[in-house]
Each structure stands twice: as C-alpha cells, then as structure tokens.
Amino acid sequence: MSHFSTVKTELRDLSALRAALQDMGHTPEEGTTQVRGYRGQTVEAQLALRQDNGCDIGFRWNGNHYELVTDLQLWNQQQPLERFLSRLNQRYALHTILSATQQEGFQVSEQKSSLDGTIELVVTRWSH
C-alpha cells in the first residue's frame, strides 16, 4: 500500500519553482529522480527535496503543472504543509512577476517585505 500523497498546485514554471524553494532555504535536486517514502517506496519526480528522515518531497510534472508528492505522515519540515505551500506560492509568484517584468523591459527599483509577509515591488521602465 502506497503512503504517497499528491497535492495539486498551480506551479508551472520550473525555474520560478526552483528559485522559490531556494529562497526557502532548500537545495532542490533537478532531473528525473526517485522520491523516497515509507519503507523504501519510491515515486518518480522532476524535482526533489531530500529530508533527513529518508522521506523526500517531490514535484512531479503532470502535463499541466507540478504536483507536490510526499508521504505526509513523514512530513519533516519546520512548517506544516499548509504554511509550507503558502510560502512556496508566495515566493513562486514573486519570481514569476520578476521574470515577467524583466521580459517587458521593467527593472525593480524597490522591494519591501513587511512583517505580515507581504512583499511590495516598485518597478520602472524608461521609455525613449
């Protein structure tokens, strides 16, 4: 019996996902890899976070977006899953916005993080 759980996300951009995980202090392993779970079970994913307890967190491409796949009974992060996903989504959104603004010729002139966790960006673009 598999103990792996799949959590749906709206994460589509691998580079923004990688950058968001790095912001959170993780070093994701990229490329098709086996994510470890209960009693040596594995599942394939494209991005993995190794945990000290031998059970990993994986992100698996399903054709539309990356799903989080892990054994939730062996979750070994400082934050509960919901808080982890909330922070991941926030950091992912920030990197997605930064990438889009750069592609449109904008530059970030100011970035502020508030105590409540909100991030404020000021972007500028010089026109000729």
Side-chain angles (χ1 to χ4, degrees):
M1 174 198 284
S2 176
H3 284 240
F4 283 102
S5 296
T6 301
V7 180
K8 296 194 183 306
T9 73
E10 292 300 320
L11 308 170
R12 290 182 171 85
D13 183 319
L14 182 61
S15 62
L17 174 56
R18 182 184 339 100
L21 290 166
Q22 290 169 338
D23 285 355
M24 295 170 63
H26 298 285
T27 306
E29 290 181 16
E30 239 180 288
T32 302
T33 187
Q34 295 298 310
V35 174
R36 304 167 300 169
Y38 180 72
R39 291 192 174 187
Q41 295 175 341
T42 61
V43 65
E44 194 173 281
Q46 285 69 47
L47 199 66
L49 305 179
R50 303 295 178 200
Q51 297 187 111
D52 293 337
N53 66 354
C55 176
D56 307 319
I57 300 169
F59 292 89
R60 176 176 58 197
W61 182 251
N62 70 5
N64 294 312
H65 53 266
Y66 289 92
E67 304 171 317
L68 184 147
V69 60
T70 193
D71 185 333
L72 292 175
Q73 294 177 344
L74 298 175
W75 183 260
N76 192 27
Q77 295 297 303
Q78 292 179 347
Q79 305 140 338
L81 175 64
E82 295 77 20
R83 178 74 181 119
F84 177 89
L85 285 173
S86 176
R87 184 152 159 72
L88 177 61
N89 283 322
Q90 180 192 43
R91 301 307 302 178
Y92 176 86
L94 173 65
H95 285 285
T96 302
I97 290 166
L98 291 174
S99 176
T101 56
Q102 185 179 17
Q103 288 175 4
E104 295 294 322
F106 289 89
Q107 291 183 324
V108 175
S109 59
E110 193 174 340
Q111 180 176 334
K112 292 182 193 174
S113 296
S114 300
L115 291 176
D116 67 358
T118 58
I119 300 170
E120 182 180 332
L121 293 174
V122 176
V123 295
T124 57
R125 177 170 64 180
W126 296 97
S127 56
H128 300 281

